[in-house]
Amino acid sequence: MTKPSGSFNARVRQLDARQQIAFMAALSERLVPNYALYAGMSGHGNPGVLNNVLDLVWERLKVASARIDFDKQAEKLAEVEPPEADDSFGARRATESVMALTTLLDTLRGEAPDAALEVSRVSRNGVRAFIEMTEGSEEAERLDALFREHELMQDERDFQDAVLEALEADPKLADLSALRVLGRNYGISNLGLSLDESA
């Protein structure tokens, strides 16, 4: 099969609805450790809710007729979002995890144009924020170069490319388990963090 041409965004838009859901699910898998780290350190939230939502999404991808109340799942997600008053770095990254999954549920509940690209942006923006925090704020031009060249951002681009290429190579999604394993990324988040680091 020839690799589709065009920019990353154009290729994501060319995915069918089921492929786009799988793309968002894989990216969301890699965001959940950030939420779990926040919950473990702050005592707020419940990572089990996010993991359960992802289980149900993968189930729907496997069995199109699976009866799942995604409205109820969206309510559960809203209940475990970090408190609005918490403006810490960890809370913002945890909120991004919830946002990505909420966008995914919006797609499953109806029309959500460009939802896959929105989840892609959410993940990349979290990496940008992490780089800015760890490297210190600098002039905009230097920061833009840093974002482009930083190992974490390169890893983020490579990861999203790998997920997209896996979907393009297997348009029927015959091997969803392999895609989920790719998304889980050995438990390492898009920020290069894992739950082991909170022990």
Side-chain angles (χ1 to χ4, degrees):
M1 176 181 159
T2 56
K3 183 173 166 180
S5 58
S7 68
F8 176 86
N9 286 6
R11 289 164 59 208
V12 170
R13 287 193 177 103
Q14 284 169 22
L15 299 175
D16 66 28
R18 187 163 171 257
Q19 289 172 310
Q20 289 200 16
I21 288 164
F23 177 83
M24 290 185 276
L27 266 59
S28 295
E29 288 280 2
R30 208 166 82 121
L31 294 174
V32 168
N34 293 332
Y35 180 95
L37 281 167
Y38 167 75
M41 291 191 288
S42 69
H44 292 296
N46 181 356
V49 172
L50 277 70
N51 287 318
N52 187 54
V53 168
L54 277 166
D55 285 344
L56 292 171
V57 169
W58 290 109
E59 179 66 19
R60 167 56 71 84
L61 284 167
K62 277 185 209 160
V63 185
S65 60
R67 293 175 63 83
I68 298 164
D69 186 345
F70 287 116
D71 288 329
K72 189 168 186 60
Q73 296 309 315
E75 287 171 17
K76 289 181 180 178
L77 270 180
E79 287 167 7
V80 298
E81 202 169 333
E84 275 187 43
D86 188 348
D87 193 36
S88 66
F89 181 84
R92 278 178 277 155
R93 303 295 74 81
T95 300
E96 286 169 354
S97 308
V98 175
M99 278 171 53
L101 278 172
T102 302
T103 302
L104 178 46
L105 290 181
D106 287 345
T107 306
L108 286 158
R109 293 188 293 167
E111 197 61 39
D114 279 346
L117 289 175
E118 180 58 31
V119 172
S120 169
R121 273 192 296 272
V122 164
S123 187
R124 271 202 312 271
N125 288 344
V127 176
R128 286 174 69 98
F130 187 73
I131 293 169
E132 193 165 3
M133 183 190 76
T134 54
E135 301 289 339
S137 55
E138 307 183 37
E139 66 270 19
E141 197 173 309
R142 168 82 186 95
L143 211 46
D144 281 344
L146 189 60
F147 290 147
R148 281 194 306 274
E149 297 158 13
H150 198 282
E151 182 184 358
L152 273 178
M153 189 58 84
Q154 289 177 3
D155 186 55
E156 175 70 12
R157 282 193 296 267
D158 289 347
F159 173 78
Q160 292 200 24
D161 282 340
V163 173
L164 181 55
E165 285 166 15
L167 288 165
E168 290 168 342
D170 180 17
K172 299 291 184 198
L173 302 184
D175 196 352
L176 281 169
S177 57
L179 187 65
R180 190 170 192 185
V181 167
L182 177 64
R184 284 185 164 167
N185 197 41
Y186 304 102
I188 300 167
S189 81
N190 61 332
L191 307 183
L193 305 173
S194 73
L195 285 175
D196 294 341
E197 294 175 40
S198 66

